[in-house]
Amino acid sequence: MGKVAVGAAVVCAAAVCAAAALVVRHRMISSRKWGRAMAILKEFEDKCGTPIVKLRQVADAMDVEMHAGLASEGGSKLNMLISFVDNLPTGDEEGLFYALDLGGTNFRVLRVHLGGKDRGVIGQEFEEVSIPPHLMTGSSDALFDFIAVALAKFVGSEPEGFHPPAGRQRELGFTFSFPVRQTSIASGNLIKWTKGFNIEDAVGEDVVGELTKSMEKIGLDMRVAALVNDTIGTLAGGRFYNQDVIAAVILGTGTNAAYVERAHAIPKWHGLIPKSGDMVINMEWGNFRSSHLPLTEYDLTLDADSLNPGEQIFEKLISGMYLGEIVRRALLKMAEEADFFGDTVPPKLRVPFILRTPDMSAMHHDTTSDLKVVGNKLRDILEISNTSLKMRKIVVELCDIVATRGARLAAAGILGILKKIGKDTVKVGEKQKSVIALDGGLFEHYTKFRECLESTLKELVGDEVAETIAIEHANDGSGIGAALLAASHSQYLGVEES
């Protein structure tokens, strides 16, 4: 009996030792894996670094590229497109103007009533219309005929007392958010379709001419007074309310910037110098690229996998379309190389663009003690359950790294514009403020991104200059802005009401 008991005790002790060894080994492996995950995070943080010195280099590079793009066509990654907008609204415009905003699978028609000096926008109405999918790949006539009919129907609801006098045309601002080679304030040839449209017989055609032809077919007497994109619309909307607005930036799904340039500072402009002396430039700044941009392996693979490799590099670092996707790619590497979510990689984590920037923002702004929002998002979107608080904190940190880099680079881009037009320093005796109008869902809804952008710009220019610079949210520039530009480019300017 004694020997059996001793033997059993030895076996038990051995089993306990083996179990303990397994626990120790498991802990060592877990610790090693956690260490690997932390190393991936640290390397990513370092590569995304945006110290002030680097941001100043980015701003200087933006300034250089702006000069090059203004000097000659194709001289820079920045197109620096001449918009032919040389009269921005003054706030004195009055009358009833229409706008058409076409930039995706829906379009909007708007009616804006302007009251003149000190009265601003008295009233506005709009209607949103879905474009049937077959029209997005059909013929140019079919699309513009459909739009003209919707526009005519909207004009039909115009209130009594607002009809134009006999012999006077209604005027329209046309926001067309596809690549166009502008030839005048109210004409431009379509370069290519994007966003799911593919109407071959429209490419190379003047989009204003196509719309006008369709309006004439149904007897709608309306003149397109201005063809603009959403960024220029935002600039016009901002200027209408505040004459100190000098630039506009869109930070939404995509990104772009436009600003007011002195016409004599545009070597590639061969027309007459406008009376105002100014010309609005559509930068197309999403295509900016520089060796100073802090690119990581995730940015490089995202670019390589995209529909436009090598293009829109700045946009892929700072816009809403891509921020959540960069976070997903970093999480995927942690899952693959450090078993961050367990022994198997969650299948949903391999799906490109499954993690959208609004979800990233919700996780980044989670203030619950157990980061419940983060846990819910991981479960609902990526089907990852049972995440520890420690893991959730890492996810928030990733969101912070990506959003901070994007916001700080956007601020550097704005500094580049200020440098180009000499507003990055305070001139003796000059009191004028420089206001940048900002719009887009990313800026509007991602609070930490917005706050970081604003504080970074202040840090870059210093306290004294910061007193002269302001960022203002300009809502719905692409709609109201186009109507305002129709007003400021009206053929009846200076003509007395009969």
Side-chain angles (χ1 to χ4, degrees), residues 378-417:
L378 293 174
R379 184 194 66 220
D380 297 345
I381 298 162
L382 299 172
E383 294 177 2
I384 301 167
S385 44
N386 304 324
T387 49
S388 67
L389 180 58
K390 200 160 73 158
M391 288 159 77
R392 293 175 190 183
K393 282 181 175 172
I394 297 303
V395 173
V396 173
E397 223 172 306
L398 277 175
C399 295
D400 189 61
I401 291 166
V402 173
T404 299
R405 178 185 65 168
R408 286 173 70 80
L409 288 174
I414 292 170
L415 175 61
I417 297 173

Side-chain angles (χ1 to χ4, degrees), residues 29-48:
I29 290 170
S30 290
S31 170
R32 206 160 51 235
K33 284 177 177 171
W34 185 256
R36 176 68 191 126
M38 291 303 91
I40 292 169
L41 179 72
K42 179 78 175 75
E43 184 189 12
F44 183 50
E45 187 175 23
D46 291 346
K47 287 269 173 70
C48 285

Side-chain angles (χ1 to χ4, degrees), residues 27 45 68 78 97 230 244 253 283 302 305 401 409 438:
R27 279 192 183 148
E45 187 175 23
L78 293 178
F97 295 90
D230 54 355
D244 292 335
T253 306
M283 290 176 63
L302 183 153
D305 295 344
I401 291 166
L409 288 174
L438 265 108

Side-chain angles (χ1 to χ4, degrees), residues 295-331:
L295 295 169
T296 68
E297 61 186 273
Y298 313 106
D299 303 302
L300 297 174
T301 57
L302 183 153
D303 177 51
D305 295 344
S306 71
L307 294 170
N308 54 348
E311 300 291 312
Q312 300 296 107
I313 299 299
F314 196 51
E315 180 166 86
K316 287 167 184 169
L317 290 172
I318 73 171
S319 83
M321 175 89 184
Y322 301 100
L323 300 184
E325 173 64 2
I326 299 165
V327 171
R328 181 196 70 83
R329 285 172 182 258
L331 280 173

Side-chain angles (χ1 to χ4, degrees), residues 88 218 281 285 339 368 370 388 416 420 478:
L88 281 167
I218 57 170
I281 298 293
W285 88 346
D339 293 351
T368 58
D370 59 349
S388 67
K420 171 68 186 73
S478 60

Side-chain angles (χ1 to χ4, degrees), residues 337-379:
E337 296 190 11
D339 293 351
F340 190 66
F341 295 113
D343 295 338
T344 56
V345 176
K348 291 276 192 194
L349 193 53
R350 295 192 185 279
V351 179
F353 292 96
I354 194 169
L355 187 63
R356 295 162 54 252
T357 301
D359 299 313
M360 165 189 170
S361 172
M363 294 194 291
H364 195 179
H365 291 97
D366 189 357
T367 54
T368 58
S369 58
D370 59 349
L371 296 179
K372 191 178 178 183
V373 176
V374 178
N376 289 345
K377 289 287 182 191
L378 293 174
R379 184 194 66 220

Side-chain angles (χ1 to χ4, degrees), residues 456-468:
T456 302
L457 186 59
K458 196 170 181 179
E459 190 184 351
L460 280 166
V461 298
D463 290 343
E464 191 187 4
V465 177
E467 293 289 312
T468 69

